[in-house]
Amino acid sequence: MRLIPYHTRLAWRSLRRDPGLSATIVIVLAVAACIFSTALIHYLRLYGPRPELSPGLHQVEIGVDDRTLRLAFVGSTAAPSRLAPHTRVSFSNYQVLAASGIPARQMATFRSRLWVASDGGAAISTGIVSSELACARNARFVDAAFFTMFSQRLRWGSPWSREDEVADRPRVVLGRRLNEDLFSGDDSTGQTVRIDGRPYVVSGVLADDAPVNAEWDPAAAGGGQDAVYLPFADQQRLQAWPETPYYLTPVGPHHEELLKSDAVFVTFWVDLVTPEQRAAYQRYLAAELGRRGLRYRLRDLADWREMVKIPPSVISFFTLLTLIIFAGSGLIVARLLLAKGLVRGDELGVFRALGAPRGALFWRQIIEATLLSAIAAALGTLLAFPQAAFYNRFVRDNDIPLRMSWLAVALIFAATMAVGIGSALYPSWIASRRRPTMTLGRA
Amino acid sequence: MIDDATSAETPMLRMRDVRKVYRAGLVETEALSGATLTVSKGEFVAIMGPSGSGKTTFLSVAGLLDDFQGGDYLLDGEDVRRLNDRRLSRLRNQKIGFIFQSFNLIPDLDVFDNVDVPLRYRGLPAADRDRRIEETLSKLGLVARMRHLPGQLSGGQQQRVAIARALAGRPQLLLADEPTGNLDSTSARQIMDLLARINAEEGMTIVMVTHDHEFAARAHRRLHILDGTLIDPRAVPAGSHMPAAPARG
């Protein structure tokens, strides 16, 4: 241990002595790390860790007859989503659920398509519809509790409050990307946006894009980012039709008729933090729903995640493949380090003659490989950022962009270090086993 | 075979019937065939012999840089055959100093750091190391060159740095492999004066391999090595054949 600083200094000198060889090793590892990073961040986008949420979160399911469900689109004959009856309730049933007063927190949500523009008629800057004043965007209606119940991080400002909801103040939270489109990514809190022509004050801006596996609404999973978040009650003011309602029976053309219908489109979550709350809520459901002969179920978060599992994807295979290629680059590095050890044989022989045991020389070589790997890991990780940006701009397979999270950075760095150090084990062992007489005799 | 232990105290080096065989595929070469030698503490021994006679192999075995196949070797009374690499390295670091024909300085370490190498593996505190290095460099007239790289020094100066490196650890045994082989005659003489002085003033045991009869004559004892066998000329009967003195270099 006491020799680590000394060996680090010697290793650093050694790297500078063979700059070409050192640079080659670094580039081989960094390029491999960069290739690996592409597959890795795809993988993490799909299967990455999910946020810690309250264990008391439950979703209320009210059973409907799958055979009678019809897709919202006129003339569609497609079968309804398998998840639809498990994740949505009708507006009238939502009103029953929301009136319990039992959960610590509760929230309802559905998604619509609304026209969104910056105030004053400024054109949206993305160029998607640059000649128009507004674009149709995904607008999500949520209760204020949504942001805390689902751990949504805000970059600027805060969500609207319960008081704002009660006072019917027009408040809105922007998604990260809409904020970039309308306000060039600057802090837009306090600014006004127009939604279906009505002014709304921006109270906050989300920090992240929604995850692929958004718990709050599986219909939004896998893409179709929500651009703007509005108070749930505003769906009546805006006469907003849900993006994909499922009808049991025909519904008239007016919004009021939708709300009174048995169409299902609201996802409803409650946070029941104590066993007493859970028991009380079960009794409430039995009284209000069971009495009417409705099938219902209180599904906890673990059950929910099991039900809406992300299906297997080819990205797992490609991640493994790039990791194997990465490990293969370790073989090239191992050969380069063997060559380096050969070139440095005389010096290692002198160190042996002066009293350095084999173990010390082995660790000295490993330290040198660690330095090289750390440089390569830093370079590979840095390269991964512009590569992800390039992918998002020019390739883009999904509405949810690739993102270099801290976890991705840590994994890329750790994998590069592991490959670099692993590839140095054999060359270091060989170097430390060299007979000093051979090298000194040749010298 | 020379076993000339005259002192009652533990000899610095005692070899008996040491064999060293190099193997390359099916070919075996016996570089040392039953070397027997005792060197007392404070003795200055010169070993001469033609190229390929086993001089360097003898120094490698004596310096614990290489193993051997048969016989016994006691270094300062310690049986080296029983020691593992870590113990051998410690013994080499603490008791033996090496001087090589081609100096073997680390090219990108300056004089101070070159001399520091064996002390680092000794585990001495920084202040002790600094003091020892400065003392040794001062003794060898190299203080002004402390921050020079080996490439900025003459051959004689480089060899003096190598000697400083060997001495800084205050070893009991100095093994010198043709220490003047790469030097001009003036520098070579200065280096020999230095070695003789170290032996006389500090009582350090020196075993030196050389081709040069003049320098060998400055040792207390001269031995010859031929085909891996050590021969003491004093023990050779008159009229017997002795190897001709090879040319220097």
Side-chain angles (χ1 to χ4, degrees):
Chain A
M1 288 296 284
R2 65 185 161 76
L3 285 169
I4 287 176
Y6 181 57
H7 282 164
T8 306
R9 195 155 65 88
L10 291 177
W12 184 245
R13 282 174 186 273
S14 167
L15 297 188
R16 288 163 49 197
R17 197 189 311 162
D18 311 311
L21 195 54
S22 302
T24 307
I25 291 170
V26 165
I27 289 168
V28 167
L29 279 178
V31 168
C34 190
I35 293 168
F36 170 63
S37 74
T38 309
L40 177 72
I41 53 180
H42 269 91
Y43 180 86
L44 289 178
R45 182 174 63 173
L46 206 50
Y47 299 112
R50 302 165 89 158
E52 282 292 317
L53 301 177
S54 164
L57 283 188
H58 289 73
Q59 181 255 337
V60 186
E61 170 191 327
I62 299 177
V64 292
D65 185 353
D66 292 9
R67 287 169 299 178
T68 59
L69 281 174
R70 290 292 175 270
L71 270 177
F73 306 114
V74 176
S76 171
T77 55
S81 157
R82 181 182 65 83
L83 292 175
H86 296 289
T87 60
R88 296 174 180 195
V89 298
S90 66
F91 189 79
S92 54
N93 280 336
Y94 148 71
Q95 286 177 309
V96 172
L97 297 173
S100 76
I102 297 169
R105 296 179 294 178
Q106 63 182 21
M107 78 107 202
T109 183
F110 72 88
R111 190 164 79 176
S112 183
R113 294 281 288 180
L114 299 177
W115 293 94
V116 182
S118 56
D119 193 29
I124 288 174
S125 63
T126 52
I128 299 168
V129 196
S130 58
S131 60
E132 296 184 20
L133 293 179
C135 278
R137 298 285 186 141
N138 290 333
R140 179 164 292 282
F141 292 94
V142 290
D143 291 302
F146 162 77
F147 298 96
T148 52
M149 283 172 80
F150 291 98
S151 296
Q152 296 293 288
R153 292 193 312 129
L154 269 73
R155 175 127 193 240
W156 287 299
S158 59
W160 61 84
S161 62
R162 184 79 193 116
E163 290 70 40
D164 289 330
E165 286 180 337
V166 171
D168 205 17
R169 295 185 191 113
R171 295 286 184 269
V172 72
V173 168
L174 300 187
R176 186 187 67 79
R177 281 168 49 207
L178 179 65
N179 187 62
E180 275 180 14
D181 290 346
L182 296 184
F183 300 103
S184 306
D186 296 333
D187 181 1
S188 59
T189 51
Q191 303 279 335
T192 302
V193 293
R194 289 194 171 269
I195 297 174
D196 274 9
R198 289 171 180 268
Y200 277 84
V201 175
V202 176
S203 68
V205 177
L206 288 180
D208 308 310
D209 296 289
V212 173
N213 41 11
E215 275 88 357
W216 52 89
D217 188 355
Q225 280 284 280
D226 299 328
V228 61
Y229 296 78
L230 297 122
F232 189 81
D234 278 38
Q235 48 90 15
Q236 277 177 295
R237 178 192 292 163
L238 292 168
Q239 302 279 294
W241 281 72
E243 190 181 36
T244 50
Y246 291 92
Y247 300 130
L248 293 155
T249 51
V251 174
H254 301 106
H255 192 255
E256 278 301 309
E257 290 169 314
L258 168 76
L259 300 186
K260 288 176 183 166
S261 74
D262 52 8
V264 293
F265 60 92
V266 178
T267 308
F268 189 75
W269 286 83
V270 289
D271 190 9
L272 305 167
V273 293
T274 64
E276 292 74 26
Q277 273 183 346
R278 279 197 288 281
Y281 201 70
Q282 286 281 15
R283 284 196 298 275
Y284 178 80
L285 293 178
E288 296 294 329
L289 304 178
R291 182 171 53 84
R292 287 158 52 199
L294 293 173
R295 288 183 288 114
Y296 64 90
R297 179 173 176 178
L298 201 53
R299 192 183 293 279
D300 67 20
L301 188 63
D303 259 5
W304 170 269
R305 284 179 167 169
E306 185 60 31
M307 183 179 73
V308 294
K309 260 198 307 206
I310 302 296
S313 160
V314 73
I315 195 62
S316 305
F317 168 74
F318 281 113
T319 308
L320 186 64
L321 187 67
T322 54
L323 188 60
I324 291 168
I325 291 170
F326 197 1
S329 75
L331 291 178
I332 300 172
V333 170
R335 291 186 73 88
L336 291 171
L337 289 172
L338 273 172
K340 199 176 171 84
L342 273 177
V343 171
R344 296 245 312 276
D346 291 349
E347 180 187 322
L348 295 176
V350 173
F351 273 83
R352 288 277 287 138
L354 298 177
R358 285 181 182 137
L361 288 189
F362 175 83
W363 285 111
R364 182 186 148 181
Q365 301 293 101
I366 292 291
I367 286 172
E368 191 170 333
T370 305
L371 282 180
L372 280 169
S373 306
I375 297 168
L379 182 62
T381 309
L382 279 178
L383 286 174
F385 280 93
Q387 183 177 257
F390 178 89
Y391 189 93
N392 289 332
R393 189 172 171 80
F394 296 108
V395 182
R396 191 147 195 191
D397 64 331
N398 191 298
D399 191 51
I400 297 170
L402 294 181
R403 198 165 67 88
M404 283 289 289
S405 61
W406 283 111
L407 177 64
V409 168
L411 287 175
I412 294 166
F413 203 92
T416 313
M417 294 297 289
V419 169
I421 294 171
S423 65
L425 290 176
Y426 179 66
S428 302
W429 185 77
I430 289 289
S432 68
R433 307 294 295 184
R434 288 176 70 85
R435 288 172 182 272
T437 40
M438 288 164 63
T439 55
L440 300 181
R442 195 178 65 222
Chain B
M1 291 191 287
I2 297 101
D3 199 349
D4 199 25
T6 51
S7 168
E9 69 175 326
T10 308
M12 187 68 241
L13 179 157
R14 184 174 208 139
M15 282 186 186
R16 197 176 62 197
D17 207 18
V18 167
R19 288 179 69 244
K20 171 70 191 173
V21 177
Y22 289 113
R23 289 189 178 84
L26 296 175
V27 181
E28 284 192 354
T29 308
E30 191 166 42
L32 285 181
S33 37
T36 297
L37 171 70
T38 301
V39 177
S40 304
K41 285 180 177 166
E43 205 177 357
F44 187 169
V45 175
I47 297 176
M48 304 184 73
S51 295
S53 58
K55 301 189 297 294
T56 300
T57 302
F58 168 77
L59 278 192
S60 293
V61 171
L64 312 179
L65 296 174
D66 215 343
D67 55 2
F68 52 95
Q69 279 77 34
D72 298 315
Y73 174 21
L74 303 182
L75 180 71
D76 198 18
E78 193 158 7
D79 185 353
V80 302
R81 293 202 78 166
R82 299 173 188 279
L83 305 179
N84 60 18
D85 178 69
R86 179 170 283 276
R87 297 278 308 278
L88 285 172
S89 298
R90 192 182 303 156
L91 206 56
R92 199 159 55 229
N93 178 265
Q94 292 179 351
K95 294 202 171 173
I96 304 174
F98 288 95
I99 305 172
F100 305 101
Q101 181 178 355
S102 32
F103 323 136
N104 280 328
L105 299 175
I106 310 298
D108 56 356
L109 294 183
D110 63 24
V111 167
F112 186 95
D113 286 339
N114 261 288
V115 178
D116 191 26
V117 171
L119 303 183
R120 287 280 183 169
Y121 292 99
R122 183 78 64 94
L124 296 173
D128 266 12
R129 293 200 316 270
D130 291 355
R131 187 173 44 75
R132 281 197 190 198
I133 295 166
E134 281 166 19
E135 272 177 21
T136 312
L137 289 177
S138 169
K139 203 182 292 180
L140 296 178
L142 287 165
V143 171
R145 307 280 181 187
M146 202 182 279
R147 290 299 165 197
H148 284 60
L149 290 172
Q152 297 169 315
L153 304 176
S154 69
Q157 286 170 329
Q158 287 189 51
Q159 192 58 297
R160 275 195 284 151
V161 175
I163 293 172
R165 183 176 65 184
L167 297 181
R170 294 174 190 159
Q172 296 171 35
L173 173 64
L174 196 58
L175 298 176
D177 187 4
E178 307 257 14
T180 57
N182 278 359
L183 301 177
D184 61 72
S185 57
T186 310
S187 300
R189 224 162 255 124
Q190 286 171 348
I191 293 298
M192 278 312 302
D193 289 345
L194 184 59
L195 291 179
R197 200 174 78 219
I198 290 165
N199 174 253
E201 291 177 1
E202 300 184 18
M204 191 176 292
T205 311
I206 299 178
V207 176
M208 176 180 73
V209 160
T210 182
H211 279 118
D212 194 304
H213 282 269
E214 178 195 337
F215 295 149
R218 301 183 68 165
H220 301 154
R221 187 153 58 113
R222 267 186 296 173
L223 305 175
H224 286 267
I225 189 165
L226 189 64
D227 294 335
T229 306
L230 281 163
I231 301 161
D232 187 345
R234 291 176 303 180
V236 177
S240 298
H241 172 75
M242 281 291 298
R248 269 192 68 203

